[in-house]
Amino acid sequence: MRLITYCYLVYLLAPIVLLLVGAFGDQWSNTLLPEGLTWRWFISVWEETTYRNAMLTTLKLALTTCLINILLVVPLVYGVTLKFPAVAQSITRLLVMLPVAVPQLVIGFAFILAFSTAMLPWLGSPWLLVAGHVVVTFPYFFTPCMPISKPLPSKPMNAWLNPLGQPSGNVLCISICRWYTARYLPAA
């Protein structure tokens, strides 16, 4: 079984390693490894404005999607585990099925809109693209957070923070910080 696992890992990693070796190689023809070492390919891609714009758009899209997902998931997990613990598992199942319910065509259409040309100026809304990615990636942020939030000490926190006049946002931040330190920092 180990041999099969190692062979499968080599099968998965070999194209990535060859791509990295070839990316830094100067010339690669009829040899096992490329000849020379160069940054020329990276410089030529960076100088091409089309590729640079696509790379920067992709980076902005990824960072915005992650940020929006974090801002949505953390309060939602907190609220579901605190207010609706009985239906938390069914909510998780529903959200896991979201990428199946919203097909990849939504993101494909958003790509067409985001990378449209100047000939069609009414197209090109980046927020449609971000929204499509948030819908598809949201369950992948939400699902790992639900089991982790089970030992969240939120009910006792709310019992003594809310009467003291703390807004619910502060209660959320304090609860998450206390839970994080209790879970991941060793006790002194």
Side-chain angles (χ1 to χ4, degrees):
M1 189 65 178
R2 267 193 189 163
L3 178 65
I4 293 172
T5 303
Y6 291 137
C7 289
Y8 186 66
L9 286 174
V10 167
Y11 173 75
L12 288 177
L13 295 176
I16 297 170
V17 170
L18 289 174
L19 184 64
L20 286 173
V21 168
F24 292 103
D26 188 32
Q27 186 178 17
W28 196 354
S29 60
N30 297 330
T31 59
L32 185 60
L33 294 173
E35 299 170 1
L37 187 65
T38 185
W39 286 91
R40 177 175 45 143
W41 310 117
F42 294 99
I43 293 169
S44 65
V45 166
W46 184 256
E47 289 173 349
E48 184 70 35
T49 58
T50 307
Y51 293 122
R52 184 175 59 236
N53 290 342
M55 185 177 63
L56 292 175
T57 301
T58 303
L59 187 61
K60 288 177 196 173
L61 169 70
L63 292 175
T64 307
T65 301
C66 287
L67 181 66
I68 290 174
N69 271 322
I70 289 169
L71 291 175
L72 288 175
V73 165
V74 171
L76 183 64
V77 166
Y78 178 77
V80 165
T81 55
L82 181 65
K83 302 286 184 186
F84 309 107
V87 295
Q89 190 171 6
S90 59
I91 290 172
T92 305
R93 278 195 208 127
L94 179 72
L95 288 172
V96 166
M97 295 176 65
L98 196 60
V100 177
V102 180
Q104 301 297 324
L105 291 174
V106 172
I107 289 190
F109 183 65
F111 268 128
I112 291 169
L113 290 175
F115 290 106
S116 64
T117 63
M119 294 173 61
L120 301 171
W122 59 88
L123 297 178
S125 169
W127 291 109
L128 182 63
L129 186 61
V130 169
H133 276 81
V134 166
V135 166
V136 172
T137 59
F138 183 80
Y140 302 111
F141 278 79
F142 184 83
T143 306
C145 290
M146 281 304 290
I148 292 172
S149 69
K150 296 294 185 214
L152 186 68
S154 54
K155 287 184 182 177
M157 285 284 186
N158 279 344
W160 64 269
L161 285 174
N162 278 340
L164 294 174
Q166 289 290 330
S168 56
N170 288 0
V171 173
L172 172 67
C173 290
I174 292 170
S175 296
I176 289 172
C177 290
R178 283 197 40 126
W179 169 79
Y180 182 80
T181 56
R183 183 156 178 108
Y184 292 110
L185 296 179

